[in-house]
Amino acid sequence: MSRVVLAGADAELTRRVQDAVDGDVHALPPGRLPGDPTRLFEQLVDGELPDVLLIGTLAPQAEVLTLAGRLDVQCPGISVVLVAEPSPELWQAAMRAGIRDLLPPTAGPAEIAAAVDRAGSAAAGRRRVLRPTQETASYTGRVITVASPKGGVGKTTVATNLAVGLTAAAPQSTVLVDLDVQFGDVASALGLLPEYTLPDAVHGPASEDTMVLKTFLTQHPSGLYAVCGAESPAAGDAVTGPDVTRLLAALAREFRYVVVDTAPGLSEQTLAALDRATDVVMLSSMDVPGVRGLRKELDVLRELCMIPAGRHVVMNLADPRGGLSVRDVETAIGTGVDVVLPRSAAVPPSTNQGVPIIASGRRDPVVKELRRLVARFAATPLVQPGRYRAKHRAAS
């Protein structure tokens, strides 16, 4: 039996669905459907993802279509079934959004069970097809550059947690590059003792042969690979913009995700990383100096035409006592804020211990928001469908 999550349903539909799947369904509370799949699944027990998302008539169809379209891209192993009055127009819109099936509002338990079985089989088939492709694909990876105009805003913390989170989604397929060439501390944040560092990776034999380059990487216990920062500022200064361009191009051919931690401001190396990036995470602390610096940096990058299509604005160290709201920040920078990371007393100890908080197993609001950031890049669910029925019954 497939794992089923039910949304937008009244009590009567909930009863029929429970009858159809022998009670093995997680019904979400009523309310608006979020457009972001990660927001939807944050409401689930232990973060388990379903095989089938069944949506009832209480959810507005426009919201359903938006959510289904995003699920089809971000979580292809989940099938969506919509309960609605079928019409040719709705069928066409549903097919475009990737909805697997439509059920009439009067559907009984037998009809619902048959639709769930079809959708569950389709979800399982897509996962079987996608998994070998993901494991054997020839990569032209996403280069995700984490940038900020100022220091002290948690850039390395965000970059390391993002990289470790993506490693969970793509084991052995993520690499983190420390491009703070003078004072990079990725190695410290990950608890690594690298044999080779950034200058070794861009000079000598590693710069000429990708197979050699991979032997110069340092591996984290999570499966993440890292190009750690230089041992001294003088050694780091020997790394040029063209060196960075060649390095990132080589890594993107070998890894699905290349996460780049940069120095504050717009150094030659940071500009090279931005020029190569498919995505940029623009990071700021949630205070007036940080927000003003971010606005200036965004203005400069717009003038240089160096903001890639994948732009993600992240506010770190958010504190309601600081006096700034997200709306204030958005007004100041002239664009939306995508992720807000709250200030957390658990982050400094995790950094000092070299254990990214996203891998610590802690239940902390900042971990929840870091996972939302990771989910913006992961092409497949971060949590694979597991033994949902057993857990759900135990919790019932």
Side-chain angles (χ1 to χ4, degrees), residues 31-56:
R32 289 192 53 165
L33 281 179
D36 184 347
T38 59
R39 285 290 193 193
L40 178 71
F41 295 129
E42 283 167 359
Q43 305 173 57
L44 301 184
V45 177
D46 293 331
E48 293 282 359
L49 295 180
D51 299 306
V52 179
L53 173 62
L54 198 156
I55 304 178

Side-chain angles (χ1 to χ4, degrees), residues 90-139:
L90 181 56
W91 266 111
Q92 186 176 49
M95 289 175 60
R96 288 174 177 167
I99 292 175
R100 177 68 188 179
D101 212 341
L102 289 181
L103 281 173
T106 56
E111 192 174 357
I112 293 171
V116 166
D117 284 343
R118 290 193 300 270
S121 296
R126 292 186 76 175
R127 286 196 297 272
R128 283 195 298 271
V129 170
L130 287 168
R131 191 172 295 118
T133 303
Q134 292 162 358
E135 292 172 356
T136 62
S138 176
Y139 301 125

